[in-house]
Amino acid sequence: MSELVINDLHASIDTDAGDKEILRGVTLSVESGRTHAVMGPNGSGKSTLAYVIAGHPKYRVTSGSITLDGEDVLAMSVDERARAGLFLAMQYPVEVPGVSVSNFLRTSVTAVKGEAPKLRTWVKEMKEAMADLQMDPAFAERSVNEGFSGGEKKRHEILQLALLRPKFAILDETDSGLDVDALRIVAEGVNRYRESSGAGTLLITHYTRILRYITPDVVHVFVDGRIVESGGADLAEVLETEGYERFITAAQPA
Amino acid sequence: MTIAPPHDLAPRIASFDADSFGMPTGRELEWRFAPLEVMRPFFEPIDGAGTVTAVSTSELVVNSAIATASSTWVPTDRTAAVARAGARSAVTVNVPRDANLVDPIVIRLDAGAEFAYQHVEINAGAFSTAKIVIEAHTGADVSGAIVVNVADGADLTLLIVVDGPKTHRLIAHIPATIGRDARFTACTVTLGGRAVRLLPSVHYAGPGGRAELLGVFLAEGEQYLEQRIFVEHEQPHCSSNVIYKGALSGAHAHTVWIGDVLVRREAIGTETYEMNRNLLLSDGPRADSVPNLELETGDVVSAGHASATGRFDDEQLFYLQSRGIPADLARQLVVRGFFADVVGRLGLPEWRDDVMQRISARLGMADEGASDD
Ligand SMILES: Nc1ncnc2c1ncn2[C@@H]1O[C@H](COP(=O)(O)OP(=O)(O)O)[C@@H](O)[C@H]1O
Ligand SMILES: [Mg+2]
């Protein structure tokens, strides 16, 4: 049993106009096997939360804490966090020209597991994981994310989830930009991983449609850099019909 | 397509007499960037200079007296004239007509002295196919030429690896003449040397010739690496493809890439493209990149150039690190990836890994200041 605990997290970004606070006191705990959906309007700071957990250097944590089984995540480098068991499926995966998917995956798995996988079992494992996500084997020889369609990028993120086997998966808008078929394939990939690993999941999304495939245990409404309401899966249905209006108004300082 | 201002890119003077060329002052276009004080020993004859010889297992590689040199190439600058006059022997590689050599000919150039002149001639006979790898070690100061003649219908691949300590200087003119329907692929890999000036040039002796000039270079510390390319299309229906990529790190590294392509009035049906991309791995290094395309005819198939210098992308680093890959390994992956497309074009599969490993080794050592082997 693992636990990811975020407590009163504040984070800022340097802009030309000075420091801008984006996270304004986020408190959230996710346990192994549990899925929390974080839902909020565009610009509310959802990706910032995901990036701060992963350790993106662009953001500065001004107060609060993140711990993984009591260990101080904020004191870890980006790669240490990944090796400690955190994984971020990015909203906008980055292109790395000239680095093949197969080389990238093998290097990542080697880094996270601490030893290189045996070549024969590795090739089989990679092929199976790709087949599960209905990815063409030729994909392995392409450069990481370069020229990928939106759907290919997201499948590639979930492929990494399946191979790196983290303790906690943070999925940032994994549903955005996907057609119905791709959404189903990606969501099934996430569910397969959740069931086989018992990992905890933080599912960040703007829309409710991915929740038809992935049922959350807890739904958080995220507005203006903090969680303004939490509830069960039924809270997502309220958002589906009513939108974020009520919460945005409530979050405005008087 | 951009047409450079009308000035003739072709060298104005060719002569065996060094004094036909003035002493470089730094005001000349061709000496504008180079550190003249560092290059100065190449401007006047050096008494007691050695001459580069070749070490190779191939019997096609011959060291012989300079009088046996047969190329008609005439030096186009002062250093080349000084070197040609100073060289006492020549390295000759004659690939016989119709020969189809499967294995690459590997040649190690040995300066044999702290300072040496160099004269190398490579002649690919008509309809021959050959691959040649030249390893130039930067453990001595060397100045001279590698003169290439690709006869009609021949297909020559030439890889030149400049590697070794970052202490010495190298100037190499690499003039190539491409015969009718011949094909020439050259790749220079420049890693070693305090100051290196490579001057590949291409002329076409008949229609249908194809030239591909590739280059990768990695400059660190105080290194000055210059690649000055000149392609003269004076025959119809020829092609040239020039692709150079460089990476720079450290506050004082400096690279220069000059790509001069001249398409003469008679060179109808020309296809030409040149590109230089540079990657700055840190703050401070300077990358000069100057493509020049001069068209005397509009009757070409295609003519283009591109040049860009960009900073190392921290988002790429973050992405790789977020998958558990340590920062130094992530940087290596990104830089190797940056070079991969150029190295991948090299028709010497067994040398692609070698080149990539040399690049990795340099990058791995860069932070420890230990790359002066
Ligand atoms: N580099 C940046 N410079 C300035 N503002 C930024 C930058 N990145 C994000 N922001 C701002 O931070 C806020 C939160 O962005 P983000 O975390 O991407 O929100 P979400 O993922 O919920 O759409 C937005 O108002 C956005 O404009
Ligand atoms: Mg977002």
Coordinates of all heavy atoms in Angstrom, one line a residue, chain A residues 13 15 20 22 41-48, ligand 1:
Chain A
I13 N 4.9 30.7 -11.1 CA 5.7 30.6 -12.3 C 6.2 32.1 -12.5 O 5.6 33.0 -12.2 CB 4.9 30.2 -13.6 CG1 5.8 30.0 -14.8 CG2 3.7 31.1 -13.8 CD1 5.1 29.2 -15.9
T15 N 6.9 35.1 -14.7 CA 6.5 35.6 -16.0 C 7.1 37.0 -16.2 O 7.8 37.5 -15.3 CB 4.9 35.8 -16.1 OG1 4.6 36.9 -15.2 CG2 4.2 34.6 -15.6
K20 N 3.8 34.7 -10.8 CA 2.4 34.5 -10.9 C 2.0 33.2 -10.1 O 2.6 32.2 -10.4 CB 2.0 34.4 -12.3 CG 0.5 34.1 -12.6 CD 0.2 34.1 -14.0 CE -1.3 33.6 -14.3 NZ -1.6 33.5 -15.7
I22 N 0.0 30.1 -9.3 CA -1.0 29.3 -10.0 C -1.7 28.3 -9.1 O -2.9 28.1 -9.1 CB -0.4 28.6 -11.3 CG1 0.2 29.7 -12.2 CG2 -1.4 27.8 -12.0 CD1 1.0 29.1 -13.3
P41 N -12.0 23.8 -15.2 CA -12.0 24.5 -16.4 C -10.6 24.8 -16.9 O -9.6 24.6 -16.2 CB -12.7 25.9 -16.1 CG -12.6 26.0 -14.6 CD -12.5 24.6 -14.1
N42 N -10.5 25.2 -18.2 CA -9.2 25.5 -18.8 C -8.5 26.6 -18.0 O -9.2 27.6 -17.6 CB -9.4 25.9 -20.2 CG -9.6 24.7 -21.1 OD1 -9.1 23.6 -20.9 ND2 -10.3 24.9 -22.2
G43 N -7.3 26.5 -17.8 CA -6.5 27.5 -17.1 C -6.6 27.5 -15.6 O -6.1 28.4 -15.0
S44 N -7.3 26.5 -15.1 CA -7.4 26.5 -13.6 C -6.2 26.0 -12.9 O -6.1 26.1 -11.7 CB -8.6 25.6 -13.2 OG -8.5 24.3 -13.7
G45 N -5.2 25.4 -13.6 CA -4.0 25.0 -13.0 C -3.8 23.5 -12.9 O -2.9 23.0 -12.2
K46 N -4.6 22.7 -13.6 CA -4.5 21.3 -13.6 C -3.2 20.7 -14.1 O -2.5 19.9 -13.4 CB -5.7 20.6 -14.4 CG -7.1 21.1 -14.0 CD -8.1 20.4 -14.8 CE -8.1 20.6 -16.3 NZ -8.3 22.0 -16.7
S47 N -2.8 21.3 -15.2 CA -1.5 20.8 -15.8 C -0.3 21.3 -14.9 O 0.7 20.5 -14.7 CB -1.2 21.3 -17.2 OG -2.1 20.7 -18.1
T48 N -0.5 22.4 -14.3 CA 0.5 22.9 -13.4 C 0.7 21.9 -12.2 O 1.8 21.6 -11.8 CB 0.2 24.3 -12.9 OG1 0.0 25.2 -14.0 CG2 1.2 24.9 -11.9
Ligands
LIG1 N1 4.7 29.7 -19.0 C1 3.6 30.4 -18.5 N2 3.7 31.7 -18.4 C2 2.6 32.4 -17.8 N3 1.5 31.8 -17.4 C3 1.4 30.5 -17.6 C4 2.5 29.7 -18.1 N4 2.1 28.4 -18.1 C5 0.8 28.4 -17.6 N5 0.4 29.6 -17.3 C6 -0.9 30.0 -16.7 O1 -1.1 29.2 -15.6 C7 -2.5 28.9 -15.5 C8 -2.8 27.5 -15.4 O2 -2.4 26.8 -16.6 P1 -2.5 25.2 -16.7 O3 -1.9 24.6 -15.5 O4 -2.0 24.8 -18.0 O5 -4.1 25.0 -16.6 P2 -5.0 23.8 -17.1 O6 -4.2 22.6 -17.3 O7 -6.0 23.7 -16.0 O8 -5.7 24.3 -18.4 C9 -3.1 29.5 -16.8 O9 -3.7 30.8 -16.4 C10 -2.0 29.8 -17.7 O10 -2.2 30.9 -18.5

